Amino acid sequence: MKFIVLKLLALFMIFSFTSVSANTIHSTETLSTHQEETYKSQPLSEMIGGFLNSTGIAAFMHPDPNELSANGSKMSDFHKSWGRIIMILVTFFLFWLAIKKGFEPLLLLPIAFGGLLANIPVAGIAGDHGFLGVIYDMGLSNEMFPIIIFMGVGAMTDFGPLLSNPKTALLGGAAQFGIFGTLVGAVALSQAGFVDFTLQQASAISIIGGADGPTSIFIATKLAPELLGAIAVASYSYMAMVPIIQPPIMKALTTEAERKIKMTTLRHVSRLEKLVFPIMVLTLAILVLPESTPLIGAFMFGNFLKESGVVERLNDTLQNSLINTVTIFLGLGVGSKLASDQFLVPDTMFIMALGIIAFSVGTASGVIMAKIMNMFPGHKVNPLIGSAGVSAVPMAARVSNKVGMEYDRTNMLLMHAMGPNVAGVIGSAVAAGVLISLFQ
Amino acid sequence: METNLVMEGFKFMALGMGTVFMFLIVLIFMMNLMSIIIHRFFPEPMLKEEVLASSVPQDNKKVIAAITAAISHHRQG
């Protein structure tokens, strides 16, 4: 096609403007000779020297003093050389965790690889014009990706277990103590002069205790975008480490008899109940806390599509292709914030420490809440499902099930634990709404 | 001034946890109410499924009976 057009054009030119066409041909010829003239022949040694200066080794050893970080600020020499090497080793460690240990590989692998790419000198992949930077601007800085993930999670969530045993929602509420407990902790730390967190930053850090990746990213980009990398990595790596962090706390707070409590089988939930539920939660959120409706709205949209049963194609897209696509972008975008100058700072250490405190407090308060509920008459609750109140769907529920099975092989807690688990998602979205309404 | 910020933190905690719990408690009430209403006024089409489920094995039995009868007839014949 192109050729035909070109030929027609050439014919047209030859027949009508012979002189002009001769002129243009002439000018292109002069242009090419001109280009040849500007290229000066160099001695081989100089070429090799120039090439060696552009290698990664040279960039690590003798960083370019004028090189700026991804967000355009100055970087120290440490962050350009050893800092990058350390961060690359950190990403290798994350690979190991994801592949060998199976810690949330779906998220940890894209995040870690994004981190690896973001720490490459010279190429500037995480910069404004690098592809990681473009991905970040595309959906992270405007909170788009976490919202889409929330839709997908909504489409994957089954509220049946919660509907058949509504009181377990309290466990999902109690686990949010992790968030607000950590908020107090972060404020106390900056009061004591260790770090200088503003209230916005403190609340963005504390949301790690909600154990909900998308919510953490949503809040962090809204309240403290400068801490996004550390918060997202802390959030996802602790979510991945739920099977390690939670069991000791659960075992420490319960007696053997309590761990063996068998719960009554769940009643059947009708389709209509499941269909009304998302609208009911959203209505409540609209009335009580409109700030939480972006998260809850997206979540309930996904769930409503699923429960409606008439848009199987959309439901399937949300659950599979869309959430997978967005997960890749979200992971890489978060990984771009693992650049050494943003991650290797003292704040990160405190965020990591506060994050694990948030997780532990959330787990513990869920378990304690279950024990309190057992003091009241009614069906007994196995306190092990309390820990599932931290969102981390469905990991936390699986952990409850696994610990329960350790003590009684016939005690299947998985479905019972899904109740507090999904209530935890709603709870942390509400908590996020409270934080936004307080601090924005 | 020193203790003030931490006290503020505790205030946020009270407010936040209060909201979360209030939200969930209202939700629990609404869930219970909803299940009562739905069970009273919109009793499940579950029954139909049961009818369907029970009718299928009956048909099977009839078919099996017919086949066995045919086989025995064939053998006799």
Side-chain angles (χ1 to χ4, degrees):
Chain A
M1 192 66 198
K2 214 174 168 183
F3 273 115
I4 297 168
V5 172
L6 279 177
K7 274 178 186 167
L8 281 174
L9 220 95
L11 277 173
F12 185 68
M13 284 169 107
I14 287 165
F15 283 121
S16 54
F17 306 102
T18 332
S19 59
V20 182
S21 69
N23 260 342
T24 46
I25 289 165
H26 182 69
S27 69
T28 47
E29 270 171 9
T30 48
L31 196 76
S32 63
T33 48
H34 179 69
Q35 273 175 347
E36 266 168 36
E37 270 169 10
T38 51
Y39 182 78
K40 271 185 262 167
S41 81
Q42 284 177 327
L44 191 63
S45 61
E46 212 172 282
M47 283 167 75
I48 293 174
F51 176 74
L52 283 183
N53 272 332
S54 72
T55 56
I57 301 168
F60 278 124
M61 290 303 151
H62 306 286
D64 174 11
N66 297 321
E67 191 186 352
L68 295 176
S69 74
N71 50 18
S73 53
K74 272 204 177 292
M75 291 170 86
S76 70
D77 277 351
F78 168 76
H79 282 143
K80 283 180 199 166
S81 54
W82 284 109
R84 281 178 170 152
I85 295 169
I86 293 171
M87 280 314 293
I88 288 174
L89 293 177
V90 167
T91 60
F92 287 171
F93 174 68
L94 293 177
F95 289 155
W96 179 76
L97 281 182
I99 297 167
K100 182 79 182 165
K101 293 278 171 184
F103 282 1
E104 293 262 331
L106 285 176
L107 270 155
L108 222 45
L109 268 187
I111 289 180
F113 214 100
L116 175 58
L117 295 175
N119 281 295
I120 296 173
V122 184
I125 299 177
D128 274 345
H129 301 289
F131 77 90
L132 286 187
V134 172
I135 289 176
Y136 182 82
D137 288 336
M138 188 166 80
L140 270 158
S141 55
N142 54 18
E143 300 136 26
M144 191 66 214
F145 289 158
I147 291 287
I148 297 177
I149 297 269
F150 237 62
M151 290 179 194
V153 174
M156 287 189 207
T157 303
D158 179 13
F159 283 110
L162 179 64
L163 282 162
S164 71
N165 196 357
K167 72 175 177 181
T168 53
L170 286 179
L171 301 173
Q176 310 313 320
F177 260 116
I179 294 180
F180 293 101
T182 312
L183 177 58
V184 176
V187 171
L189 265 184
S190 35
Q191 185 91 80
F194 289 114
V195 271
D196 192 23
F197 288 136
T198 62
L199 273 175
Q200 275 89 341
Q201 288 174 328
S203 52
I205 295 163
S206 64
I207 203 80
I208 298 173
D212 196 323
T215 312
S216 305
I217 292 172
F218 185 80
I219 295 288
T221 42
K222 250 189 162 39
L223 297 180
E226 64 280 6
L227 299 179
L228 176 67
I231 288 174
V233 169
S235 177
Y236 278 115
S237 46
Y238 289 142
M239 265 166 73
M241 283 194 275
V242 155
I244 297 171
I245 299 171
Q246 286 197 324
I249 300 167
M250 292 153 73
K251 287 175 187 170
L253 288 172
T254 51
T255 63
E256 181 136 5
E258 281 174 327
R259 282 175 232 144
K260 285 184 176 169
I261 293 178
K262 284 207 173 174
M263 297 181 64
T264 46
T265 39
L266 297 169
R267 73 170 173 85
H268 174 78
V269 178
S270 73
R271 200 180 139 222
L272 192 58
E273 276 178 275
K274 286 186 182 175
L275 191 58
V276 173
F277 183 78
I279 302 297
M280 196 174 84
V281 177
L282 185 56
T283 312
L284 199 57
I286 292 168
L287 295 178
V288 177
L289 200 63
E291 295 279 7
S292 68
T293 45
L295 288 170
I296 292 186
F299 190 65
M300 293 309 164
F301 166 66
N303 191 251
F304 193 66
L305 285 193
K306 173 190 173 223
E307 299 299 351
S308 73
V310 291
V311 282
E312 200 42 52
R313 283 166 33 187
L314 303 188
N315 175 32
D316 181 59
T317 304
L318 276 187
Q319 284 194 30
N320 299 299
S321 33
L322 185 64
I323 199 169
N324 289 344
T325 312
V326 176
T327 301
I328 293 173
F329 288 145
L330 185 84
L332 287 175
V334 169
S336 77
K337 292 287 147 184
L338 287 187
S340 61
D341 59 306
Q342 292 172 57
F343 198 81
L344 284 182
V345 288
D347 284 4
T348 304
M349 205 177 70
F350 283 104
I351 291 171
M352 287 288 175
L354 284 167
I356 197 159
I357 294 170
F359 245 77
S360 313
V361 172
T363 306
S365 43
V367 174
I368 292 168
M369 186 71 194
K371 290 173 75 129
I372 294 172
M373 281 165 71
N374 275 347
M375 289 174 189
F376 292 96
H379 290 303
K380 289 283 178 258
V381 174
N382 190 320
L384 291 180
I385 72 166
S387 66
V390 302
S391 324
V393 183
M395 188 81 84
R398 283 201 205 124
V399 170
S400 297
N401 189 48
K402 196 170 146 261
V403 177
M405 296 264 272
E406 274 174 34
Y407 292 91
D408 182 354
R409 289 215 57 85
T410 60
N411 200 0
M412 301 292 284
L413 290 173
L414 186 64
M415 285 327 269
H416 295 285
M418 283 312 285
N421 215 184
V422 296
V425 179
I426 299 176
S428 51
V430 173
V434 174
L435 291 177
I436 294 173
S437 69
L438 280 176
F439 296 118
Q440 207 188 28
Chain B
M1 199 59 204
E2 280 290 300
T3 47
N4 235 345
L5 257 177
V6 181
M7 278 312 292
E8 287 295 301
F10 276 106
K11 278 186 215 161
F12 293 138
M13 186 179 192
L15 179 68
M17 287 312 291
T19 315
V20 170
F21 268 115
M22 196 202 65
F23 191 94
L24 289 174
I25 288 170
V26 174
L27 191 64
I28 291 171
F29 276 114
M30 283 171 71
M31 275 194 274
N32 284 327
L33 188 70
M34 177 183 77
S35 82
I36 291 169
I37 292 173
I38 285 179
H39 278 272
R40 177 155 315 160
F41 298 104
F42 306 98
E44 268 294 77
M46 257 282 288
L47 287 172
K48 270 186 196 165
E49 278 172 29
E50 269 174 31
V51 170
L52 272 177
S54 57
S55 68
V56 171
Q58 267 180 2
D59 282 350
N60 273 348
K61 274 177 198 165
K62 275 181 191 167
V63 171
I64 290 165
I67 291 170
T68 42
I71 289 171
S72 58
H73 181 77
H74 177 74
R75 279 184 185 155
Q76 276 170 11

